[in-house]
Amino acid sequence: SDDEQRTAMSGQVLLRGLFEKEFLAVGDDETAIIRHHTADYVQDVLSVNDRICPRAHDLWLEAYESDEYKNWAESNSEVKVVKKFVKDELGLDEMPGATLDCLMTTICTDRTLPPALDNYDGSLGPTPYNAFVEDGDVNDMFERIKNVAVKNFTWAYRHNDAAYSKLGMGPLWKEIMTYIRPIVDSTVTSPDGPLPKLHLISGHDTTLMPLLSSLGPDVWDGTEWSHYASMIQIEVHEIKDNTAFPSGYAFRLIYNGEALTSKMVGCPKQSDMCDSQVLLRRVMPFAKFEERNCASSKTSASSETIMDEMKTAAEDMVNEPGGIFLMVLIAVVSMALGGIITFFFIRRPSRNNRPAYHKHTSSILGDLSMRVMEAEPDGAIISAVPAIYGSTNEHGDEKKLDDREEDAII
């Protein structure tokens, strides 16, 4: 999982639901431990991360600067109705980027909605991109605004054969395929020894939607948000009678209980199973991490422009009367300020009590509450599986778990 408490707890709860009986049957002398891997949040790859791959931002911009998007955003009849409603009834010139979060967190926590939006009944459901809802058919402006906001947010995921999703989710696909390829391809060996029967990744809605988008245009249409506790399952099956599956292995793609395998290009339409080589041919070209092309042409151009502007400004200053004296004065003042700040920084009290950050934690599965125990000799922090209704703090008092944003499981 990433380094968010809610995603780690979602994974723990799922494992407890799957194996609770087995974990609780283990005695104190033989406690079941499952290794939990996290990464620094700013370096994580469970969502598209343009901090480590700037070109992803280029592709995002391309999607929203495309003629296709502009045509939809400016000419689609349903978008026009929603924009007019937002302006006339809510007093907003445009839909804010946080519209979806604002709507959903308000209604899901039973807070008061504006009267014009307080008419949600769930009868409309997701609508296609080219849909127009006749006003006489539905008065549910809450859901109409939500549908437009979802399509607007997810546009980049599917644009240009999901180029943004493929580049951004390449590292995660590489990890996933590390556990699948050695099974279905005899020429590939596992770098970490025996392969696990179950590999669990706990992420977010923004993990699942680009993953689905990268698998083909028909797998996920971008009109419905991945809801709370959504799950993608990729099953690998050995096939004894391999007439229909030449590789001898088949895979099945399941999303929230629905088999989507037949929606992938190259898979039979009448079956939930598909030859494993179809998955490899689709995913392996972009299942990359360090070898990705992440150089941003826009970032490079921007950096060169800034450097040119700084160079011109410095030359202009030197050519002005007293310019050299001013530059020397600025340098001396900067050195003095830097020395003063450094002096106070090194003289401040040490902070040896700050807990160290560890990339790996161990989850003891078998307890019914979440608690923090003494650190192991190697410095790893041990935490027990969270209770569904609460946890205990360091004094043993029970407290309610915070309600957080939606999480998702792969």
Side-chain angles (χ1 to χ4, degrees), residues 312-350:
T312 301
E315 291 174 349
D316 291 343
M317 183 180 292
V318 170
N319 294 329
E320 289 291 329
I324 295 179
F325 172 77
L326 181 59
M327 292 185 67
V328 172
L329 180 62
I330 292 173
V332 171
V333 171
S334 299
M335 292 171 60
L337 287 175
I340 293 172
I341 293 172
T342 302
F343 173 77
F344 283 105
F345 181 81
I346 63 177
R347 289 294 302 274
R348 68 175 184 169
S350 62

Side-chain angles (χ1 to χ4, degrees), residues 139-152:
N139 293 318
D140 189 353
M141 287 307 301
F142 179 99
E143 197 159 14
R144 293 175 75 173
I145 292 175
K146 182 210 71 168
N147 286 345
V148 170
V150 168
K151 296 167 191 173
N152 186 71

Side-chain angles (χ1 to χ4, degrees), residues 260-276:
L260 302 181
T261 326
S262 61
K263 295 183 178 183
M264 287 187 60
V265 175
C267 290
K269 301 301 181 184
Q270 69 280 7
S271 174
D272 291 342
M273 307 285 279
C274 185
D275 192 87
S276 61

Side-chain angles (χ1 to χ4, degrees), residues 119-120 124 146 162 178 204 207 210 214 221 225 240 243 247 268 270 288 315 327 337 343 345 351 365 379:
N119 56 6
Y120 174 78
L124 180 59
K146 182 210 71 168
T178 298
H204 299 271
T207 307
S214 67
D221 64 6
W225 198 263
K240 298 299 184 182
T243 304
S247 70
Q270 69 280 7
K288 303 174 182 179
E315 291 174 349
M327 292 185 67
L337 287 175
F343 173 77
F345 181 81
R351 300 175 66 184
L365 303 175

Side-chain angles (χ1 to χ4, degrees), residues 217 310 340 397 403:
M310 292 176 64
I340 293 172
D397 302 322
D403 292 329

